[in-house]
Amino acid sequence: MGADDLEYIEKSFEKLNIPVAKQSALLEKISSGRKLDSETMKSPVNVTKALNPDGSQTVTKSWEDGSAISETVFPDNSAAASMGGFPLALPACVKGCTTKYEVGMTHKSSCQVWHQAVTWSAGFTASFRYSLSNGHYIKSISNPKTGGIGMGKGSLSYIKRSAYSSQTAKAQLKARQTVKIAGIPTSRDVGVILNVNTGGGSTSSFGS
């Protein structure tokens, strides 16, 4: 593990509030190529929720080994916030949206979608609309950004661009992460997904 990789992980520990007592064991796991608990099907041991100044809610999940991820929901009743730049320092988000209301429809534009894990991060800008009865639609996705150990540039795509009101519209940024296990390069797909439904926009991830 190089100096840049170590610096990235240490910053991730800080952003995710990972206890100092757990950090050495996590570093050993990452260096040896073993999966963190957050990358498995294990259930988190703790889930905390925090209300952000812009009205969004950050949900942080932590596991027995100390690994963690953060995801943020920007619900319909949140205050709109206009934030310049891309939030590379934020744990996770669907934030910075400019909001416009119509009868039965909510439009959100220039939303900054972001996900932070221990060894990687990814995000993009999106605009979408949603409603209780007229369906949901992701208007645009752009500005993909990734960071972390062995992360490729990634690519944006629509999983389900348009959806009925009872369904969820989805778009994703998928990237290839390559790490060395016993000196042998090993790759996997990781990424962040934007979910749009009657509750607004939220993030989920794969490969965390």
Side-chain angles (χ1 to χ4, degrees):
M1 186 184 303
D4 290 343
D5 293 339
L6 182 60
E7 181 182 4
Y8 181 89
I9 292 172
E10 289 174 346
K11 287 181 178 179
S12 294
F13 286 165
E14 183 178 352
K15 293 173 190 175
L16 294 167
N17 294 315
I18 292 175
V20 174
K22 300 278 190 178
Q23 292 180 11
S24 294
L26 284 176
L27 278 172
E28 184 180 347
K29 265 191 171 183
I30 294 166
S31 298
S32 62
R34 288 180 291 156
K35 283 189 175 182
L36 306 182
D37 286 356
S38 61
E39 299 172 342
T40 68
M41 298 298 291
K42 292 181 180 179
S43 298
V45 296
N46 191 44
V47 178
T48 60
K49 297 180 180 181
L51 188 65
N52 300 313
D54 62 2
S56 62
Q57 186 182 66
T58 296
V59 179
T60 301
K61 302 174 185 179
S62 57
W63 278 260
E64 183 66 33
D65 66 350
S67 59
I69 63 172
S70 288
E71 297 173 342
T72 299
V73 178
F74 200 110
D76 183 39
N77 61 358
S78 295
S82 181
M83 297 162 25
F86 204 89
L88 293 177
L90 295 176
C93 63
V94 178
K95 290 182 177 237
C97 303
T98 299
T99 305
K100 175 185 176 183
Y101 298 101
E102 293 181 6
V103 177
M105 182 78 67
T106 301
H107 299 262
K108 290 191 179 291
S109 59
S110 301
C111 297
Q112 298 164 348
V113 180
W114 190 252
H115 180 87
Q116 178 74 54
V118 175
T119 64
W120 64 272
S121 54
F124 58 95
T125 301
S127 296
F128 54 88
R129 60 174 172 79
Y130 57 94
S131 74
L132 291 174
S133 58
N134 295 319
H136 322 299
Y137 182 69
I138 301 175
K139 301 175 186 177
S140 65
I141 50 178
S142 61
N143 192 29
K145 291 187 180 294
T146 61
I149 299 174
M151 282 287 282
K153 291 183 177 180
S155 61
L156 289 168
S157 64
Y158 296 102
I159 301 173
K160 188 178 182 66
R161 190 172 188 179
S162 180
Y164 293 112
S165 294
S166 60
Q167 300 175 335
T168 300
K170 296 174 179 281
Q172 70 175 4
L173 170 58
K174 180 169 71 173
R176 196 75 170 162
Q177 184 184 35
T178 302
V179 297
K180 288 186 178 181
I181 299 177
I184 302 173
T186 302
S187 298
R188 63 172 181 165
D189 289 330
V190 298
V192 58
I193 299 173
L194 167 67
N195 305 286
V196 179
N197 50 41
T198 53
S202 65
T203 62
S204 59
S205 64
F206 53 94
S208 291

